[in-house]
Amino acid sequence: MKGIGILLQAQTDGATGGGFGMEQILMFGAIGLVFYFFMIRPQMKKQKEAKKFKEV
């Protein structure tokens, strides 16, 4: 029951504040890092290995 109150408080605080807090900026940065390390970087590695394989 206490968790529901915290969620409702977070929603009302965000709606009345209207600001873009540091938490949101950090969250977007964390999502960007996840995309880089789990999607972009492995794809670049595969491309590099394929290029090396074609040259040989």
Side-chain angles (χ1 to χ4, degrees), residues 29-45:
I31 291 170
L33 285 174
V34 167
F35 269 102
Y36 177 75
F37 282 111
F38 287 104
M39 296 180 76
I40 299 171
R41 192 168 176 230
Q43 182 65 28
M44 289 171 40
K45 261 186 165 180

